[in-house]
Amino acid sequence: ARDRFRRALAAARRVSGPGAIELVNVRSNLALVADEPGERDALFADAEAELTRLVGAAHPQTLRARIGRTMWTTDLAAARALLAPTCEMYDRFHRVLAPAVIECWGELAFVMDELGDRAGAAQTLARVAGFLADGGEHAGEAAGYLALWRGDARASVSLFADGVAAQPRRDGEPWWVTFERGKLGVGLGRARRAAGDVRRARAALEAAVEDLEAV
């Protein structure tokens, strides 16, 4: 895959005018199969720079590329620095894109939680409260974590449990459905543990691991 994407990238760099913007995806695809973190980040940064040149820094395509870059870095501080202005741009220019707004603020909140700033994570995730009704697949996860980080474990359990129940396992289901249910299962396990229900927390997490391993 790397060999073919590199050949495609060499050809894509020679294209200008109509069609050039679609070929920026070659950079991101090559980044996804790169072994070296430095090469991966450089390719993502290159895609972001090219999109900025073609359509502008605040265009949804550019912001989407930047979010993708943050999801593959292991440097949480760098991820936070990239996400914060990206989310602000979504909030300022693209509030109609509720799922993207929720995903951005949600990812920033998760990064802040990993960095040990639970209060900041809750405050950040609260930015999406007004979008949850129209937020698509990311809304349930965001609502569950918002309740959890605000200290309402019982409400969080209910929200995550509803989300998992709404996506029962089916033979041949798309991988992204399995992935979404797995993420909700992780949230359910964390919420149940916070609520003191360790036995059921373990069951939820074991089911989530099964889904995520399948993906």
Side-chain angles (χ1 to χ4, degrees):
R2 282 194 293 269
D3 177 62
R4 289 175 182 267
F5 280 135
R6 284 180 179 130
R7 287 157 58 192
L9 181 57
R13 291 188 189 280
R14 297 193 293 269
V15 177
S16 61
I21 189 169
E22 285 82 1
L23 294 175
V24 176
N25 286 334
V26 175
R27 294 167 168 83
S28 298
N29 286 330
L30 180 54
L32 294 176
V33 298
D35 280 336
E36 292 297 322
E39 179 189 6
R40 180 185 303 123
D41 190 66
L43 284 162
F44 276 129
D46 188 29
E48 179 189 337
E50 184 66 2
L51 286 167
T52 298
R53 185 182 72 81
L54 291 170
V55 294
H59 192 281
Q61 288 272 74
T62 309
L63 301 181
R64 174 75 256 166
R66 194 176 302 140
I67 290 178
R69 180 183 178 189
T70 66
M71 288 187 178
W72 284 85
T73 181
T74 57
D75 185 339
L76 292 177
R80 179 174 58 185
L82 284 167
L83 280 166
T86 304
C87 298
E88 291 287 357
M89 284 189 181
Y90 264 124
D91 230 342
R92 180 178 178 186
F93 298 115
H94 309 296
R95 292 177 64 86
V96 68
L97 303 177
V101 176
I102 291 172
E103 181 185 22
C104 192
W105 286 119
E107 192 65 23
L108 178 56
F110 296 147
V111 168
M112 294 175 74
D113 183 49
E114 288 295 320
L115 287 168
D117 186 2
R118 174 62 61 86
Q123 186 177 7
T124 297
L125 200 53
R127 299 283 294 265
V128 308
F131 296 93
L132 294 180
D134 303 310
E137 65 182 26
H138 300 292
E141 186 181 25
Y145 277 106
L146 182 56
L148 179 62
W149 291 339
R150 283 176 165 173
D152 192 346
R154 183 172 297 181
S156 180
V157 167
S158 178
L159 288 163
F160 280 122
D162 287 347
V164 171
Q167 301 186 59
R169 289 181 179 173
R170 294 186 175 90
D171 291 339
E173 67 184 9
W175 69 264
W176 53 88
V177 173
T178 311
F179 182 54
E180 183 65 22
R181 186 176 56 244
K183 290 197 299 175
L184 291 168
V186 171
L188 179 58
R190 295 178 72 178
R192 282 181 169 159
R193 183 177 63 182
D197 191 350
V198 177
R199 181 182 61 83
R200 296 179 74 192
R202 176 172 178 168
L205 290 169
E206 286 175 342
V209 167
E210 185 177 344
D211 276 337
L212 297 174
E213 284 185 335
V215 174

